[in-house]
């Protein structure tokens, strides 16, 4: 008989088992009747005839089992029997089942949620076709900010021409600011954020439109009609998902702009290239218009040809760099992007590494934390199962005496573990889904790809994997302990204080010590991250974000260039600040083109007048164009004088510099401390710049990095790249928003309804990745501490139950309640002492692994370790106090009567 036919017959027999069992019983009954009749004919009485027939047939149940095994799927039958028995057993002990499922759900849910984060940020490819071919092409980070991390349009053209490793190269304008687009639909202009991209941007990324078409080269040429592509979110939010939106024209920034397409929901520019930013619209960048003379403004992204290696890519970039010119009109700028050492040159890296590679260590820490949570949960379940198995020891001993093998008993216990783990996985998956959805909608965390966070097939597979791991981990130890017990000891009518219980108590104590050890490691990690976060918040930013807020300002800058434009701009800004400064509650007001923690650029390095420039010197300071009153509005200390409205285009050029730049210049100009004010600098064009003040160092890019060099120009002498109004007030920003926007609209009716943002949100946005990881690790540490407390309570409570007779005898012999309580608490603290000792040693070894994630905090920070010890001993004492009180209230007479 073929295997396939035999398997088919076995499967048929399995699903028709009632009919076959009925036939089998009828056949056995017929054979038994025939044997009885034969015995009766031999002269035996009926009772003896039946007994002899039964002896001849042997065990009926054994015969039935053999026949079922021969015809059907015996292993599946046994599994179903184990499952039925498991469900009956767990339904009788609902309290234990509920606690076990909840503990597992917390451990598995946390693991699935974190796996989804790790999968989204690190493991899953970017949401583009053949995303492994995409490269981020940028110079190495330097102090001159975004100007040194971007390329000029001429450099882009030359790189695209000379590079041989790429199918094509594209990029986008790196200096777009929030709310830079005003949509006019008849009422007040609606603010939105747009990004200018090179015409082939979507083609290089491999993005296809959901509606309409994408840009072509003609859309980006001089004189082309304005066009725009909408993001899916803005199309749905602002235009009610109008399916006929393509071809319609709207007033955007004062120009009739035609919608030519809508991007797919899967494409989110901000999630990939500007975390924490919502980009509403994409417009084409005209490379051959005014941007041609704007310097370094473009980021570059390339798609590799198939089969190109990273070594070939870098060699290709090194070969193309000497041909790249900052401006083709200036031949001396050619080769300025070439590699002159290990810290410069054109450096391509995989786009995935640029987007999320710097989060790798933090995600590894997060994953390790939830792994520890799962281990603690499994250890807790092992303890619960050991306690439950001890109460079932006679049951298992009886089953063993009746012929059940050790493997059969272990299999039954593992089946119970799998059922518990499966229920915990289902509930944990639900908890993970809630957490993942919440995280995906947290725009306050500036993490890449966070908005695309979801539970996918990989997360479901991970759920199954850790559920099976957990079932084996927490079910194997109790199963082996019970299956290896002594039958005679278990079957004796021994009390709770038997040797078997003592051995179980030792195993449970070891498990609790391991729980405390793991909780100790989690607490130390969370404590170090918390201390680092607090140190970050204590950094002197060079400005005071509290009680300050900013809003983007629109103004009419249609004026001739040069002095007339500067004079008109000065008059407009002076009017704005005069009107806003008179509002109730406004303490100070000023204007700036770029806010801290946002965009920045450099205009070269001014040098002390009359001092020879060195052949090689660092790149220039970051440039900010400000109005009078800005420094006071930001809370930045000034040594010298502020700009005034008299510092106009006809007046001597004036600047402010920060302390760090003043020290650098002073080292060449032999300036003594405090003598920097009133010094004269010269810029690259030979113009004199009079230093009127030295200001505090401002953290312009991040809180954790060092403050670089800064130079400030007055808006009445230099052209700003934008305009942000900053006010300082003791009132809540939301309370001031209406009056400030009203004043701006009085001066300019076309002022868009831009967001009035507290300056503190800029700082919070910058530190949000650290806050994200600190928050999650801290929550997991708290969860680990709770599970450890449950484990300690369970062990001590079980120990008190096991020692009821012993405690009763001691109290009958004169032991006081205080003495009994102290003994129980000492047992509790002894376990905590062992766990803390082992956990401290493991934490000291493991702290070095997270040293790179800390800020201003040593991996061996004494207050953190001391706090961990205090917290763990406090939790241990609290967990042991309830069983200790229960032990002290034992009635000796009742305990002595107990069996």
């Amino acid at each position: 008989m073929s295997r396939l036919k035999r398997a088919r017959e076995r499967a048929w027999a399995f699903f028709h088992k009632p009919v076959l069992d009925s036939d089998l019983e009828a056949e056995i009954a017929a054979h038994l009747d025939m044997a009885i009749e034969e015995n009766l004919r031999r002269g035996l009485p009926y009772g003896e005839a039946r007994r002899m027939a039964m002896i001849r047939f042997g065990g009926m149940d054994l015969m039935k089992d053999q026949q079922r095994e021969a015809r059907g799927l015996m292993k599946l039958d046994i599994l179903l029997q184990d499952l039925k028995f498991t469900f009956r057993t767990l339904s009788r002990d609902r309290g234990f089942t509920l606690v076990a499922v909840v503990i597992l759900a917390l451990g598995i849910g946390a693991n699935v949620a974190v796996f989804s984060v790790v999968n989204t940020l690190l493991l899953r490819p970017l949401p583009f076709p053949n995303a492994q071919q995409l490269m981020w092409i940028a110079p190495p980070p330097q102090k001159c900010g975004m100007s040194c991390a971007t390329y000029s349009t001429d450099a882009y053209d030359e790189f695209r021409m000379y590079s041989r490793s790429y199918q094509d190269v594209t990029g986008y304008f790196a200096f777009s600011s929030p709310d830079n687009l005003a949509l006019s639909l008849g009422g007040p202009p609606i603010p939105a954020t747009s990004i200018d991209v090179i015409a082939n941007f979507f083609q290089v990324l491999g993005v296809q439109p959901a509606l309409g078409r994408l840009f072509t080269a003609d859309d980006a040429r001089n004189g082309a009609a304005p066009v725009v592509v909408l993001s899916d979110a803005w199309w749905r939010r602002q235009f009610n998902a109008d399916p006929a939106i393509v071809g319609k024209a709207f007033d955007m920034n004062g120009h009739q702009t035609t919608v030519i397409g809508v991007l797919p929901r899967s494409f989110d520019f901000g999630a990939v290239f500007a975390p924490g930013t919502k980009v509403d619209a994409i417009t084409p960048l005209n490379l051959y218009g005014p941007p041609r003379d704007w310097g370094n403004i473009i980021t570059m992204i390339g798609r590799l040809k198939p089969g190109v290696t990273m070594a070939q890519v870098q060699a290709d970039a090194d070969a193309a760099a000497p041909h790249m010119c900052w401006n083709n009109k200036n031949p001396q700028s050619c080769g300025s992007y070439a590699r002159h050492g290990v810290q410069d040159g054109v450096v391509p890296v995989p786009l995935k590494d640029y987007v999320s590679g710097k989060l790798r260590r933090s995600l590894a820490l997060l994953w390790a934390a939830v792994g520890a949570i799962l281990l603690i949960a499994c250890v807790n379940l092992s303890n619960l199962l050991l306690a439950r198995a001890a109460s079932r020891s006679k049951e298992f001993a009886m089953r063993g005496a009746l012929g059940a093998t050790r493997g059969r008993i272990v299999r039954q216990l593992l089946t119970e573990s799998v059922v518990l783990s499966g229920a915990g996985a289902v509930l944990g998956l639900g908890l993970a889904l809630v957490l993942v959805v919440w995280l995906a909608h947290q725009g306050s965390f500036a993490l890449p790809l966070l908005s695309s966070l979801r539970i996918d097939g990989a997360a479901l597979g991970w759920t199954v994997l850790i559920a099976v791991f957990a079932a084996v981990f927490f079910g194997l130890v109790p199963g082996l302990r019970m299956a290896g017990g002594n039958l005679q000891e278990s079957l004796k009518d021994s009390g709770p204080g038997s040797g078997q219980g003592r051995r179980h108590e030792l195993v449970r104590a070891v498990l609790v010590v391991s729980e405390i050890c793991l909780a100790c490691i989690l607490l130390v990690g969370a404590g170090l991250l918390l201390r680092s976060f607090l140190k970050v918040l204590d950094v002197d930013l060079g400005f005071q974000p509290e009680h300050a807020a900013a809003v983007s300002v629109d103004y009419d800058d249609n004026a001739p260039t040069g002095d007339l434009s500067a004079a008109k701009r000065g008059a407009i800004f002076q009017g704005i600040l005069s009107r806003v400064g008179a509002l109730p509650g406004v303490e100070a007001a000023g204007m700036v083109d770029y806010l801290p923690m946002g965009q920045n650029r450099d205009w070269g390095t001014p040098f002390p007048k009359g001092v020879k420039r060195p052949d090689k010197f660092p790149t220039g300071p970051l440039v900010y164009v400000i109005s009078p009153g800005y420094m006071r509005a930001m809370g930045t200390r000034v040594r010298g004088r502020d700009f005034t409205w008299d510092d106009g285009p006809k007046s001597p050029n004036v600047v402010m510099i920060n302390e760090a730049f003043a020290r650098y210049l002073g080292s060449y100009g032999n300036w003594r401390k405090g003598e920097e004010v009133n010094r004269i600098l010269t810029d690259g064009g030979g113009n004199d710049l009079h230093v009127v003040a030295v200001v505090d160092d401002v953290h312009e890019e991040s809180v954790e990095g060092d403050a670089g060099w800064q130079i400030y120009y007055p808006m009445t002498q230099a052209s700003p790249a934008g305009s942000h109004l900053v006010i300082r007030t003791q009132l809540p920003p939301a309370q001031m928003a209406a009056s400030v926007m009203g004043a701006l609209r009085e001066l300019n009716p076309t002022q868009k309804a831009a967001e009035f943002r507290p300056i503190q949100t800029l700082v919070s946005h910058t530190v949000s990745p650290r806050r994200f990881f600190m928050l999650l690790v801290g929550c997991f540490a708290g969860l680990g501490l709770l599970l450890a407390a449950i484990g300690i309570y369970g062990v001590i409570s079980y120990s008190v139950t096991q020692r009821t007779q012993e405690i009763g005898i001691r109290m009958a012999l004169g032991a006081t309640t205080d003495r009994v309580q102290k003994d129980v608490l000492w047992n509790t603290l002894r376990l905590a002492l062992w766990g803390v000792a082992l956990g401290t040693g493991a934490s000291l070894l493991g702290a070095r692994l997270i040293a790179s994630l800390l800020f201003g905090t040593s991996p061996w920070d004494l207050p953190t370790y001391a706090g961990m010890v205090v917290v763990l001993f406090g939790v241990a004492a609290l967990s042991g106090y309830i069983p200790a009180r229960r032990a002290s209230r034992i009635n000796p007479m009742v305990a002595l009567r107990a069996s």
Side-chain angles (χ1 to χ4, degrees):
M1 183 182 297
S2 67
R3 291 185 178 180
L4 180 60
K5 184 177 180 181
R6 181 59 180 158
R8 187 166 57 246
E9 289 180 352
R10 283 180 175 270
W12 184 91
F14 176 79
F15 290 107
H16 294 80
K17 186 165 45 177
V19 176
L20 295 177
D21 283 349
S22 178
D23 292 344
L24 175 62
E25 289 177 0
E27 184 177 354
I28 291 174
H31 283 284
L32 183 61
D33 289 342
M34 292 172 60
I36 293 173
E37 289 179 6
E38 181 181 351
N39 289 336
L40 289 173
R41 286 196 298 269
R42 292 165 55 189
L44 295 175
Y46 180 81
E48 184 64 17
R50 179 176 177 79
R51 188 179 73 83
M52 294 300 293
M54 295 287 289
I55 293 174
R56 178 181 171 186
F57 271 86
M60 291 293 188
D61 290 336
L62 179 61
M63 183 184 302
K64 292 178 182 179
D65 287 342
Q66 289 174 345
Q67 202 278 341
R68 289 171 185 148
E69 185 174 359
R71 80 185 183 209
L73 302 173
M74 194 61 183
K75 292 183 179 179
L76 189 56
D77 272 336
I78 294 174
L79 176 61
L80 291 177
Q81 291 172 12
D82 288 344
L83 287 174
K84 290 177 182 178
F85 183 79
T86 294
F87 286 124
R88 287 199 305 269
T89 303
L90 294 179
S91 63
R92 289 198 303 265
D93 198 352
R94 295 179 181 177
F96 162 79
T97 304
L98 179 62
V99 171
V101 169
V102 169
I103 289 175
L104 282 170
L106 292 174
I108 294 176
N111 271 270
V112 174
V114 169
F115 173 81
S116 298
V117 174
V118 174
N119 186 39
T120 300
L121 271 60
L122 283 185
L123 306 181
R124 190 192 303 158
L126 293 174
F128 307 117
N130 298 315
Q132 74 280 1
Q133 296 178 342
L134 295 173
M135 304 293 291
W136 179 264
I137 308 164
Q142 300 182 50
K143 285 188 176 182
C144 52
M146 294 178 66
S147 289
C148 292
T150 50
Y151 298 93
S152 67
T153 56
D154 286 335
Y156 163 75
D157 282 342
E158 299 297 332
F159 183 83
R160 192 180 181 200
M161 179 186 302
Y162 284 97
S163 180
R164 300 290 180 265
S165 298
Y166 298 91
Q167 300 178 45
D168 204 353
V169 180
T170 188
Y172 61 89
F173 181 66
F175 292 87
S176 298
S177 57
D179 299 336
N180 60 348
L181 183 69
L183 173 66
S184 298
L185 298 176
I190 301 168
T193 300
S194 70
I195 297 290
D196 296 333
V197 303
I198 297 175
N200 65 345
F201 182 77
F202 297 112
Q203 288 79 4
V204 172
L205 293 182
V207 176
Q208 298 296 325
L211 293 176
R213 67 174 179 87
L214 300 174
F215 302 129
T216 66
D218 290 339
D219 295 322
R221 59 178 171 80
N222 288 325
V227 294
V228 65
V229 173
L230 307 180
S231 71
D232 177 83
W234 200 43
W235 171 59
R236 295 178 185 276
R237 184 176 67 250
Q238 186 61 54
F239 301 97
N240 298 316
D242 181 6
I245 191 73
V246 175
K248 293 183 178 180
F250 300 92
D251 184 341
M252 296 184 180
N253 287 346
H255 302 284
Q256 285 296 309
T257 304
T258 302
V259 177
I260 63 170
V262 176
L263 293 168
R265 182 176 293 187
S266 60
F267 179 80
D268 185 345
F269 184 96
V272 178
F273 300 105
T277 302
K278 292 182 179 180
V279 175
D280 303 308
I282 312 290
T283 50
L285 176 64
N286 179 7
L287 290 175
Y288 306 104
R292 201 76 183 172
D293 298 319
W294 289 356
N296 291 342
I297 59 170
I298 295 174
T299 62
M300 289 204 302
I301 303 162
R303 180 175 286 277
L304 294 176
K305 295 176 180 177
V308 177
T309 65
M310 284 302 301
Q312 292 173 315
V313 172
Q314 187 59 63
D316 186 67
D318 292 341
H323 302 282
M324 298 167 62
C325 304
W326 184 78
N327 192 316
N328 287 334
K329 299 176 183 178
N330 181 8
Q332 294 180 347
S333 68
C334 294
S336 58
Y337 300 97
R339 182 185 292 270
H340 301 292
V342 296
Q343 295 297 327
D344 53 11
V346 178
V347 182
V349 297
L351 182 59
K352 179 70 173 180
D353 288 352
Y354 166 76
V355 171
S356 55
K358 56 191 174 185
L359 300 174
R360 190 170 285 111
R361 284 182 176 271
S362 298
L363 290 171
L365 172 65
L366 193 59
W367 210 349
V370 292
I373 289 294
L374 184 61
L375 289 177
I376 293 176
C378 290
V379 170
N380 247 334
L381 261 294
S382 289
N383 263 328
L384 287 175
L385 286 176
L386 273 174
R388 188 165 176 268
S391 65
R392 299 171 63 191
S393 60
K394 290 184 176 59
E395 170 197 335
F396 292 122
M398 184 65 71
R399 293 178 65 183
L402 294 175
T405 64
R406 171 184 288 198
R408 187 71 176 82
I409 295 174
V410 171
R411 183 172 60 191
Q412 175 62 50
L413 288 173
L414 284 179
T415 302
E416 295 181 10
S417 301
V418 169
V419 169
L420 289 172
S421 186
V426 171
L427 181 57
L429 191 61
L431 296 176
L433 182 61
V434 172
L435 181 58
V436 163
V437 171
W438 179 77
L439 289 174
H441 290 83
Q442 291 304 302
S444 59
F445 295 124
L447 288 172
L449 306 171
L450 195 63
S451 61
S452 62
L453 188 62
R454 66 182 186 274
I455 301 290
D456 58 6
L460 294 177
W462 180 252
T463 305
V464 173
L465 182 64
I466 60 176
V468 172
F469 165 80
V472 174
F473 187 92
F474 71 75
L476 196 57
V477 173
L480 292 176
R481 290 290 301 172
M482 292 312 304
N486 186 296
L487 289 179
Q488 292 183 348
E489 286 189 11
S490 298
L491 288 173
K492 288 177 183 177
D493 189 20
S494 54
S498 64
Q500 183 80 357
R502 300 270 185 193
R503 287 194 294 273
H504 286 175
E505 186 175 347
L506 177 60
V507 174
R508 286 163 56 81
V510 171
L511 291 176
V512 166
V513 168
S514 65
E515 277 189 89
I516 297 173
C517 178
L518 290 170
C520 174
I521 296 173
L522 280 174
L523 283 176
V524 168
L528 291 175
L529 290 179
L530 176 60
R531 292 269 294 172
S532 294
F533 186 70
L534 294 177
K535 290 289 182 69
V536 168
L537 298 183
D538 285 341
V539 169
D540 182 3
L541 301 173
F543 59 93
Q544 299 174 21
E546 303 85 2
H547 308 298
V551 63
S552 177
V553 173
D554 299 325
Y555 66 96
D556 179 16
D557 58 351
N558 293 320
T561 59
D563 293 349
L564 292 178
S565 176
K568 179 180 179 181
R569 187 169 57 246
I572 292 174
F573 290 160
Q574 186 173 7
I576 291 174
L577 294 179
S578 176
R579 177 71 181 86
V580 172
L583 294 174
V586 176
E587 299 177 355
M591 305 282 290
V592 66
D593 59 348
Y594 286 147
L595 292 167
M597 311 289 176
Q599 290 86 4
N600 52 59
R601 81 288 202 193
D602 85 296
W603 289 348
T605 307
F607 219 68
K609 186 174 182 179
V611 177
K612 185 179 183 303
R613 290 174 179 262
D615 295 334
K616 293 183 179 181
F617 55 91
T619 52
L622 299 182
V623 172
Y624 297 90
V625 182
I626 66 173
S627 74
Y630 168 75
M631 292 296 178
R632 182 164 175 254
M634 286 294 292
T636 301
R637 292 184 294 270
V638 177
R639 180 160 52 85
R641 72 168 179 87
D642 195 359
F643 293 144
T644 69
W645 298 111
D646 293 330
D647 294 321
K650 300 295 187 182
S651 303
N653 295 323
V654 294
V655 294
M656 299 181 189
I657 59 177
N658 72 325
E659 295 278 0
F661 191 40
R663 286 194 298 272
Y664 172 76
L665 297 177
S667 65
Y668 286 93
N670 294 322
W671 302 345
R672 286 183 293 185
K673 178 69 175 177
E675 294 182 352
E676 301 90 346
V677 178
N678 297 323
R679 297 288 183 171
I680 300 177
L681 310 178
T682 56
D683 60 19
N687 301 307
D688 288 350
L689 304 173
H690 296 263
V691 179
V692 298
V694 175
V695 302
D696 283 350
D697 293 333
V698 171
H699 286 253
E700 70 284 337
E701 290 190 285
S702 69
V703 177
E704 300 179 33
D706 295 332
W709 301 342
Q710 295 118 36
I711 187 168
Y712 300 86
Y713 293 85
M715 284 184 165
T716 49
Q717 293 181 347
S719 298
S723 53
H724 297 275
L725 170 66
V726 180
I727 69 166
R728 177 160 293 278
T729 175
Q730 294 297 321
L731 299 176
Q735 186 175 333
M736 293 294 302
S739 59
V740 171
M741 293 303 298
L744 292 176
R745 287 211 175 98
E746 286 178 12
L747 301 172
N748 179 16
T750 63
Q751 168 69 40
K752 59 179 176 286
E755 181 184 4
F756 197 62
R757 295 183 298 167
I759 298 297
Q760 184 63 50
T761 61
L762 303 178
V763 181
S764 298
H765 182 271
T766 302
V767 301
S768 62
R770 180 176 286 277
R771 186 174 73 250
F772 174 83
F773 291 109
M774 186 272 298
L775 177 65
L776 287 185
V777 173
C779 289
F780 294 149
L783 179 58
L785 186 63
L786 174 62
L787 293 177
I790 293 174
I792 295 171
Y793 171 79
V795 165
I796 300 304
S797 181
Y798 179 74
S799 174
V800 168
T801 302
Q802 291 290 96
R803 298 170 57 199
T804 299
Q805 287 183 331
E806 173 196 333
I807 294 172
I809 292 172
R810 291 178 58 196
M811 296 186 72
L813 294 176
T816 63
T817 57
D818 288 343
R819 179 63 182 175
V820 171
Q821 285 188 15
K822 288 178 181 179
D823 286 347
V824 174
L825 284 175
W826 165 242
N827 288 336
T828 305
L829 296 178
R830 184 175 57 187
L831 293 176
L833 181 62
W834 277 104
V836 168
L838 294 174
T840 301
S843 299
L844 289 171
L845 294 175
R848 291 181 298 178
L849 300 177
I850 65 170
S852 61
L853 302 177
L854 305 180
F855 177 82
T857 305
S858 168
W860 302 281
D861 183 61
L862 183 59
T864 299
Y865 286 85
M868 175 272 296
V869 172
V870 171
V871 169
L872 276 177
F873 273 107
V875 168
L878 188 61
S879 301
Y881 177 70
I882 298 176
R885 278 187 60 85
R886 192 173 79 242
S888 66
R889 293 180 178 181
I890 291 176
N891 188 321
M893 296 303 296
V894 174
L896 290 174
R897 291 196 189 105
S899 59

